[in-house]
Structures are given as C-alpha cells and as structure tokens.
Amino acid sequence: MSNVFTRRREKLLALKSLRSGGPRSAPAPACPACGAEVPRGELHKNLYVCPRCGHHHAVSAYYRLSLVLDPGTFRELDERLASADPLAFPGYAGKLADAGRRTGLSEAVVTATGRIEGRRTAVGVLDSRFFMGSMSAAVGEKITRLVEYAEKNRLPLILFSASGGARMQEGILSLMQMAKTAAALEHFSAAGGLYISVFTHPTTGGVTASFASLGDYMLAEPEALVGFAGPRVVEQTIGQPVPEGFQSAEYQLDHGFLDAVVPRRELRATLSRLLRLHDPKGGRDR
Amino acid sequence: MNQTLTPVQRVALARNPQRPGTADFISALFTDFFELRGDRHFGEDPSILGGVALYHGQPVTVIGHRKGRTLEENLKFNFGMPSPEGYRKAQRLMEQAEKFRRPVITFIDTPGAYPGLEAEARGQGEAIARCLSILSALTVPVISVVTGEGGSGGALALGVGNSVLMLENAVYSVLSPEGFAAILWKDASRSNEACDVMKLTAADLLELGVIDEIIPEPEGGAHTAPGAVFTAVDDAISRSLAPLLKLSGSALARQRYKKFRAMGNQAIRRDRG
C-alpha cells in the first residue's frame, strides 16, 4: 500500500520537476557566465552546473527537492496557498496568473517534508522564476507554517533561498513577513530546533535580512550573490562600480557570514552529514 | 487631524527636517537619559540613538533612529541610515533590557538601512534579521512609535512591538517611494505615483492591521507645534504600556508572536489547484 503512494509521489515530483523547467523542457540555454552552449542532456547530467566554467544555473524548486531528498519521500505542504492581491495592486493579479501558468507554481516557495539519507526533514525552497522568489504574504505564511510544522514534529529544517527580497505589490504586508518568519524561527530555535540555511543565486533584500540569515548553519552555492542591498543600489550609493566578486558566496565566506560554500554536487552529502551530526543516534546506521 | 492630505503631502511632512525626532522625544518624555554607545564588536553608529532613561519614574530602554536637523548633523548621523553597528548596538540594548526587566520603547524614523559597501561587508542583512528575532522573543513590553519615515527592513528592525503606534503624518512602507518606483517601474522619478499605490499612510496601515493606533498631529504637521505632539505621544505610550505591564513575560512574548504571526493573513488565499 505505502509503495503505491510512494510511487505516486515520486512520479508527481518527477513530473513537477519537468514541468517547472527541469530536464528537456526547453532548448539548451547558453551559460550566462561563459556563454558555452552545453547540450541539455549533458547539463542535466551535471545537475545544471556548467561543465565548462562551473557556473551553477538557477533550478526550479521541484528540481532542487529532487536533488536533495531520498526518492519517494517527498510530500508537499500547503501546496495551494497563493496571494490574494491584498492591496488590489494595479496589474498584479494578471502577473500572478501569468507566473502561475509559466511555472506551474501557486507561489514563490515550495514547502515539503521528505527524507535525506533516511532522516526526516522539513524543507522549503524559494523559486526565483516566480516573481524573483520575492516574499509575498503567502510565501511568509508557507515558510512560517513549515517552521511551526518542524517544531511540532521535532524535525530539522532546511531552507533554500533565492529571492529579490520583498514583493513590492504587497507593500507593507510583504515587509511584515520578515518579522513573522524571524519570530517563528526564534521560537523554533529556543525549542532546540536545527535550521540549515542555504543561499542560492541570488538572495537579497528582505529575505537576507530575515529568515535566510538566521541559520544554525549557513551554506551557499558557489558564486551565489548574497547581500542586503542589491549591487545596483550599492553602486548608486557609492557612485562607482562595486569591486569584482562583491557579495559573492566566496566574499560572504571571507567576511564571516557563511560556514561553507558547497558545490551542488556535494550539497546532499553535506546536508546529510549535518543532519547526522545532530541525530541523537549519531552515526549509527538506521 | 488633517484628513485631506494626500500620501505625497504626508511623505513630505514625514521627511520635514524640522519634524521632532528621537532625540527630541527622549528629552521631552524621559528623564535621566544615559546614552549607550557602540556595538562592542566594531564601532559606534550614531544613526541609532539608544540608552536607559526614566519614563514617568520607571526605568526603560529607549532606542531610535537619529537623522539630525542641520546638514552637519545629517552627515554625522548618515541621514538616519544605520550601518550594521547601529543594529548590533540596538541588539545589545534589547538584550540588556531583557536582563534588567525594563520595557523597551523604540522610535522609528529612517529612510532605510544604509546600502553601502562597508555595510554589506559587515552583514547588514544579518544585523537586521537578528534584531527581528531578538525583539520577537523579549519577555518585557516593547512599544514602537513610527514618528517619521518608516523605511523598509531598516525601520522594521526596531518595530516588532507588542504595540505599534504611528504619528498621523508618519509613513511606513516596504521601501522608499523612490526605491519602489525604481524597482517596479525602473523609474525613480515616478515616486509620487508610488506614494499613491503603496498604502503607506497611518490610516492605510491601521486598516491593514499593521499598526495599533494613530497619534494625531496638529494642523500643518508635527513640526508646527512639537509640544502638543510630545503630549500626544506621551499619552499614547502611557496608555499602551499600562496593560502590558500587567502581563507576564511569557504572555508578552506570546502576544507579540501572535500579533506578527497574523500579519498579512488577508493577503493569502487557497488556490483552486
């Protein structure tokens, strides 16, 4: 019986990963970093990391989950939460509908539970293709629910961020999600919960200034842009171009804001090791 | 009350250099103010002013943004745009308030956190995030008053209060109207248009459930009769503080959590799927 459900869930995740810009759904794009046109099959085999220059391409939330979770363990939470366009902002409803059609997502974050090398985990992934992964109230709510779910079920929590920051069209209600998610994480932390934050390219603004910066462990993918103010805003402030490598993951590592920069191929093993280090049963086989 | 002002006019009043700021509220409403300086890590950022004082005889911690009034002061205080050191000083004060069981009163007036090279190098995002998490869990009363510009995360970092009050012509928004127009329409000069759609006035925010009370200003704005504003702010803080002082520490933290937990509930719907 459980096998049937497992297979169904697996199929669903694979389909969603396809639908949302995963393997084979579009022609091979030129690498935004080096311009190399890598055949899609090769890129896919290489986990969407450019085999020429090592650039980590943006990937969809479902694809990310399929890379990290044990096969057959994915279970999505709050899949249907969406924005209600609270300010009746001009043009927003139509853009939401477009983004939904284009990505198959109802909002910019996918939250789920699943297992990583056998350990049950709560995982949230922001998807930069939906309004640049910006924090709508629905995004804040889904993340907060995930944190509360993890606390209630005593699960470790992993959040992958990729976000332009606040959702402008939801105004102040977007801003308040920073306080809401930070408060939920503080509560979770006080209860002894483990939270691993993984920055992916790019993460800026209100997401950097709230939940993404509050991890017990802070990781990032190579060369991911991580900052509060975006580089263009900083350039306007200082009146000159920002230095090479400014706000890259490696820069943040040098400045003391990350524990490690982890290539995509090593991400699952790294997360698994951290979960093992926090497992009361330690390294014993399960 | 000036019901007829447009959002653009209120933004102008909120930014008026003669408008009373944190330093003015501290000298008018508190006694025995002792300023605390420095973040104990890197430096002192005077764009955040904080310390301990007596509020009607009761020891409290006061923290606020400081813009200054003259150009010289503006430069010294970086136009009220804090660096990470300012937020880390604020964290230190919040934690000290928790230790000594003092209520925290914050005054919010900033265009936003400083978006500079050095601020990024020292973790502006982390500094703000940590303010949010510390404030959210304090077991002492926290009252926040938006007195001028409430700009973005740099404002919210001092704004996670049990009670959030706002002066009638203050504004509070996800980003400055100029930044908003630049991001959304790639044209900062459309900031007046942004003011009209952003819902950044006190009346808007009360309706959206983001603030609890509007403190009325004299005709023409707070700077025209500061004395009346000090009295009104004092009354509003006293009224908010009294019931909070009767709550236990855990009840205070719970109330604050629930309050922010519910923010934006009206912005969510369940998709048909």
Side-chain angles (χ1 to χ4, degrees):
Chain A
M1 207 36 201
S2 78
N3 266 345
V4 175
F5 286 120
T6 300
R7 275 203 304 276
R8 273 191 56 193
R9 276 210 298 269
E10 196 51 21
K11 198 174 156 195
L12 194 66
L13 181 58
L15 284 173
K16 278 181 170 169
S17 150
L18 280 174
R19 183 175 65 188
S20 49
R24 291 182 295 278
S25 61
C31 173
C34 73
E37 283 180 28
V38 181
R40 182 157 278 273
E42 193 186 335
L43 199 57
H44 177 55
K45 248 186 286 174
N46 211 37
L47 314 182
Y48 292 86
V49 176
C50 175
R52 309 281 188 275
C53 73
H55 175 75
H56 283 54
H57 288 242
V59 295
S60 75
Y62 289 115
Y63 180 72
R64 170 79 62 189
L65 285 160
S66 74
L67 286 183
V68 168
L69 296 178
D70 297 348
T73 65
F74 165 79
R75 186 165 68 84
E76 186 161 356
L77 303 170
D78 301 310
E79 186 179 354
R80 290 178 183 174
L81 280 195
S83 171
D85 187 8
L87 308 185
F89 194 88
Y92 183 38
K95 282 190 178 141
L96 279 170
D98 286 349
R101 267 194 298 276
R102 200 162 34 74
T103 61
L105 298 168
S106 59
E107 252 303 339
V109 68
V110 175
T111 56
T113 63
R115 289 179 188 271
I116 297 178
E117 295 189 357
R119 291 181 175 82
R120 217 175 144 226
T121 309
V123 190
V125 187
L126 287 168
D127 195 313
S128 62
R129 297 163 313 136
F130 195 100
F131 279 81
M132 293 175 71
S134 58
M135 184 135 75
S136 64
V139 167
E141 178 70 16
K142 284 179 81 167
I143 287 170
T144 302
R145 286 190 191 185
L146 184 72
V147 175
E148 290 172 341
Y149 183 91
E151 183 172 335
K152 192 170 156 219
N153 294 282
R154 307 190 70 77
L155 298 179
L157 170 73
I158 304 173
L159 295 177
F160 291 88
S161 42
S163 177
R167 180 81 52 89
M168 291 299 136
Q169 294 89 342
E170 296 191 12
I172 194 85
L173 297 175
S174 170
L175 188 74
M176 292 300 135
Q177 304 311 307
M178 293 170 63
K180 181 162 123 182
T181 54
L185 283 167
E186 180 63 23
H187 201 276
F188 177 66
S189 182
L194 162 66
Y195 166 35
I196 304 169
S197 172
V198 187
F199 288 97
T200 70
H201 181 76
T203 302
T204 58
V207 167
T208 300
S210 63
F211 64 85
S213 286
L214 296 170
D216 297 297
Y217 297 91
M218 307 277 285
L219 312 177
E221 286 199 324
E223 292 173 20
L225 179 84
V226 177
F228 174 62
R232 267 190 312 168
V233 176
V234 176
E235 284 180 345
Q236 278 169 17
T237 307
I238 62 174
Q240 56 186 34
V242 295
E244 179 79 18
F246 178 65
Q247 296 180 319
S248 67
E250 294 74 13
Y251 169 97
Q252 297 294 359
L253 186 69
D254 282 348
H255 284 78
F257 291 100
L258 295 175
D259 293 297
V261 175
V262 185
R264 194 169 289 165
R265 194 167 283 287
E266 296 166 23
L267 200 53
R268 180 173 144 89
T270 302
L271 293 172
S272 179
R273 193 204 311 179
L274 290 174
L275 297 183
R276 192 158 63 239
L277 287 165
H278 281 267
D279 189 327
K281 294 194 206 76
R284 270 176 284 166
D285 291 339
R286 30 169 68 220
Chain B
M1 290 265 192
N2 308 277
Q3 295 290 350
T4 54
L5 294 181
T6 65
V8 176
Q9 289 170 318
R10 291 194 202 272
V11 169
L13 283 175
R15 291 174 175 176
N16 188 306
Q18 298 310 313
R19 192 172 174 82
T22 298
D24 306 308
F25 286 108
I26 288 177
S27 47
L29 273 58
F30 302 82
T31 57
D32 294 284
F33 177 65
F34 182 83
E35 184 177 356
L36 292 164
R37 295 187 177 94
D39 68 349
R40 301 294 185 267
H41 294 290
F42 181 83
E44 154 66 3
D45 177 4
S47 66
I48 285 192
L49 171 62
V52 188
L54 296 177
Y55 181 67
H56 296 287
Q58 160 147 25
V60 295
T61 290
V62 196
I63 311 170
H65 303 95
R66 173 164 53 180
K67 284 178 171 171
R69 195 153 283 140
T70 62
L71 182 61
E72 197 182 326
E73 283 178 351
N74 291 158
L75 291 169
K76 186 172 164 196
F77 305 137
N78 200 22
F79 296 85
M81 295 184 285
S83 291
E85 295 73 61
Y87 292 113
R88 296 199 175 105
K89 173 170 70 177
Q91 291 166 24
R92 186 167 76 83
L93 268 67
M94 293 165 191
E95 282 168 344
Q96 200 199 63
E98 177 82 0
K99 174 181 173 183
F100 293 111
R101 314 299 309 153
R102 289 192 295 254
V104 177
I105 298 170
T106 68
F107 294 100
I108 293 170
D109 184 17
T110 178
Y114 186 59
L117 215 54
E118 298 290 306
E120 289 295 316
R122 295 197 292 274
Q124 188 72 283
E126 193 270 350
I128 292 170
R130 200 64 64 185
C131 280
L132 300 176
S133 60
I134 292 173
L135 268 184
S136 77
L138 291 184
T139 60
V140 293
V142 180
I143 293 176
S144 301
V145 190
V146 187
T147 63
E149 279 180 282
S152 195
L156 180 64
L158 302 184
V160 190
N162 294 91
S163 185
V164 181
L165 316 174
M166 187 162 168
L167 277 171
E168 185 187 348
N169 294 315
V171 293
Y172 194 4
S173 54
V174 66
L175 201 58
S176 70
E178 292 80 8
F180 184 94
I183 284 195
L184 211 55
W185 304 316
K186 314 276 174 238
D187 184 359
S189 70
R190 288 170 70 184
S191 63
N192 284 358
E193 222 175 305
C195 291
D196 290 333
V197 293
M198 285 176 79
K199 311 262 191 222
L200 45 61
T201 69
D204 291 330
L205 297 178
L206 188 68
E207 198 183 318
L208 291 169
V210 171
I211 63 163
D212 300 295
E213 185 180 329
I214 300 174
I215 306 171
E217 288 186 30
E219 188 98 30
H223 63 286
T224 61
V229 174
F230 297 143
T231 305
V233 171
D234 190 13
D235 285 350
I237 293 175
S238 294
R239 257 185 292 109
S240 298
L241 190 57
L244 295 175
L245 288 170
K246 296 197 183 91
L247 297 178
S248 70
S250 58
L252 285 164
R254 207 160 43 240
Q255 184 266 355
R256 203 179 309 112
Y257 186 92
K258 275 189 175 165
K259 175 186 171 71
F260 283 86
R261 178 70 186 79
M263 284 203 188
N265 277 352
Q266 73 270 47
I268 300 159
R269 66 182 175 85
R270 191 160 277 280
D271 207 354
R272 290 178 309 278

